[in-house]
Amino acid sequence: MSREKDTFYLTTPIYYPNDLPHIGHAYTTLAADVLARWRRLSGDNVFFLTGTDEHGQKIAQAAAERGVSPQQLVDDINPRWRDMLTLLRISNDDFIRTTEPRHTARVQQFMQRLYDQGDLYTATYAGPYCVRCEAYYTVEELVDGELCPIHRRPVERLEQENWFFRLSKYSDALLALYDQHPDFVRPQARLNEVRSFVAAGLEDISASRSAFDWGVPVPWESGHVFYVWFDALLNYITAVGYGEDSDEFGRRWPADVQLIGKDILRFHAVYWPAMLIAAGLEVPRQVFAHGFLLVGGEKMGKSNATGIAPEQLVAHFGLDCYRYYFLREISFGQDGTFSWESMTERYTADLANDLGNLANRVLNMVGSYCDARVPAPAGPAGEPEARLAEDHAAAVAGLQAFDRLDFMGGLADLWTFVSGVNRYVEARAPWAQRKAGQIDELHRTLYTCVDALRIIAVLISPVMPNAAEALWAKLGLAEDLWSQRLPQAAAAGQMPVGAITTRGDLLFPRLEDA
Ligand code: MSP
């Protein structure tokens, strides 16, 4: 008896560990982490998977260039990918490596099923092949008839006798999927792209390789390994109990959101659902393709020396700004340009000024006017409190945009609230209230501000976990930040009277000159 789905399951692509991570890779993982933390805060039982894609010709070639075995290469580089997760405070629940037996055994099992039911057959195929993409292209897809459309580098001509998957057989099922579940591929433009690709007619695709042996062996024919993309895509189910633990599989599959970059859309929105349909499994609820991070107008990558390592930026701007910047600055789904200048501007304006100064100012006043004890909200709530309550409600409602992966919109609404608290402080002028001896009014003002800071700490926590924790601690809150759940956690009036606040270090200190 398998159990009902009870988990919000989200995935990142699994990365090729042929080199070190750059901020383009970190981008997908970061967005997934924010969504994972957001869903946890919203009360879901989340399972967040990431990992590394360790087989295939690309890895075999990189290993040969370094004079090590492919296994040695991936074992050496794997820790560096895990370091990236630690550096960025990624809260993944599992990390799968496709060289692990838990994966390879189940890949064989899945493919055996396709073979047994006649979905695989042998044929010879020849065509232009990009090793970096690990994919065949048609001549029409090449740039100037010879360059890979993604990497703009010469492709090779590859001829192999392979096992082929009857992809064409599933064309109608795929078209029906896109029509009946238009949310299956997001954003909309990507759905249209995939739909026209399938509508133009699908060819069967090769599912094995025999020219090299770095892969999962085809059980029924020695000398063949599965094509790395079949192996890789299956990680999304092998990691959650497929073929091993039907209870776990039932609770987690199908995935709720699979995040990918737009370069791997066809694999995830065409081949992957076709494989699942063939095996009689449910397809993911959504595949969301984001755009590229560009540097100087080019896709950031390791091959063209534009790769920037996340640690360079974290060292200068701090983790919270790193996480905030990429989600606030770039509309998720579109391409976006990273620049040092715009990151500096976001740091100064949104973080140091709007949020950091606000917290510092409020905590400073509670410290000096109230002996660092949160006062009871004595005076009457009036017009300024009502206006602030509106901003607060708008922020909580606006953040629901995270569910549509509109991080930019959600954060913009949250910052309207942060600005609203700043306006409130100016309007109420607690320093003047104190001077005038209006103690009840002063207490009302400061309580409202501290209460707002508590709400802000909760609401920024998916994006800026360090700043949220630091602010939470300054507010002297005893409960665990990470066990807070919406909507209660963001309701007004929950700041405990008498909590002992500390001003401490600035949340966002002045940036050192770069
Ligand atoms: N191993 C495959 C994915 C298999 S998933 C079953 C792969 N790996 S990758 O390491 O090359 O890329 C992984 C992800 O990083 C992709 O989603 C890709 O879009 C993303 N990015 C790599 N460079 C990027 C940018 N410059 N900008 C944004 N994302 C980028 O493909």
Side-chain angles (χ1 to χ4, degrees), residues 345-387:
E345 220 173 283
R346 284 283 171 204
Y347 184 95
T348 308
D350 300 10
L351 302 185
N353 290 348
D354 290 351
L355 178 56
N357 278 350
L358 171 67
N360 192 47
R361 250 175 129 186
V362 169
L363 293 168
N364 193 23
M365 289 188 281
V366 176
S368 52
Y369 302 166
C370 305
D371 206 16
R373 277 178 174 69
V374 174
E383 170 70 27
E385 283 78 20
R387 208 169 314 132

Side-chain angles (χ1 to χ4, degrees), residues 17 23 52 112 129 181 193 214 352 387 408 494 506:
I23 62 177
T52 41
Q112 183 76 48
Y129 191 81
H181 301 280
E193 185 183 319
W214 182 237
R387 208 169 314 132
M408 189 188 223
Q494 296 199 84
L506 291 177

Side-chain angles (χ1 to χ4, degrees), residues 12-18 22-29 52-54 58 81 132-133 151 228-229 231-236 258-264 267-268 290-295 298-302 306 335-336:
T12 72
I14 50 172
Y15 302 94
Y16 291 126
N18 60 325
H22 57 65
I23 62 177
H25 304 117
Y27 183 58
T28 322
T29 308
T52 41
D53 185 357
E54 306 194 339
K58 189 208 268 286
W81 285 81
R132 285 165 196 269
C133 292
H151 294 96
V228 65
W229 269 101
D231 169 353
L233 288 163
L234 289 167
N235 91 87
Y236 301 130
Q258 303 209 261
L259 287 184
I260 57 166
K262 66 180 183 182
D263 50 337
I264 53 177
F267 297 99
H268 284 83
H290 64 70
F292 289 151
L293 289 189
L294 309 173
V295 174
E298 260 197 82
K299 180 189 178 205
M300 177 176 312
K302 31 201 173 201
T306 53
D335 288 351

Side-chain angles (χ1 to χ4, degrees), residues 50-177:
T50 188
T52 41
D53 185 357
E54 306 194 339
H55 288 130
Q57 195 174 354
K58 189 208 268 286
I59 300 290
Q61 275 185 5
E65 281 161 22
R66 288 175 172 78
V68 296
S69 70
Q71 188 66 57
Q72 190 64 53
L73 176 80
V74 297
D75 287 348
D76 286 349
I77 296 187
N78 191 275
R80 305 300 302 275
W81 285 81
R82 291 179 188 256
D83 288 347
M84 186 259 278
L85 303 181
T86 309
L87 175 79
L88 300 180
R89 274 194 82 170
I90 302 301
S91 62
N92 56 302
D93 297 287
D94 196 359
F95 186 105
I96 190 162
R97 300 179 59 181
T98 54
T99 48
E100 290 169 329
R102 64 166 170 158
H103 174 73
T104 54
R106 296 170 189 177
V107 168
Q108 289 181 323
Q109 191 181 334
F110 182 98
M111 297 304 285
Q112 183 76 48
R113 169 168 182 168
L114 298 195
Y115 174 73
D116 291 345
Q117 69 192 30
D119 269 322
L120 298 172
Y121 63 93
T122 44
T124 302
Y125 189 82
Y129 191 81
C130 171
V131 177
R132 285 165 196 269
C133 292
E134 291 277 18
Y136 277 109
Y137 285 99
T138 62
V139 176
E140 298 76 59
E141 285 171 325
L142 299 179
V143 175
D144 301 332
E146 55 179 344
L147 304 178
C148 161
I150 304 280
H151 294 96
R152 315 254 154 184
R153 289 172 149 254
V155 290
E156 0 184 304
R157 198 186 141 76
L158 195 64
E159 175 167 339
Q160 306 187 83
E161 206 211 25
N162 291 328
W163 286 94
F164 275 73
F165 170 55
R166 294 189 197 280
L167 179 65
S168 55
K169 184 174 139 186
Y170 296 97
S171 302
D172 290 343
L174 289 171
L175 292 172
L177 167 66

Side-chain angles (χ1 to χ4, degrees), residues 454-473:
R454 183 193 163 285
I455 294 164
I456 291 170
V458 169
L459 296 180
I460 62 171
S461 67
V463 180
M464 298 194 279
N466 285 357
E469 278 173 352
L471 183 53
W472 196 255

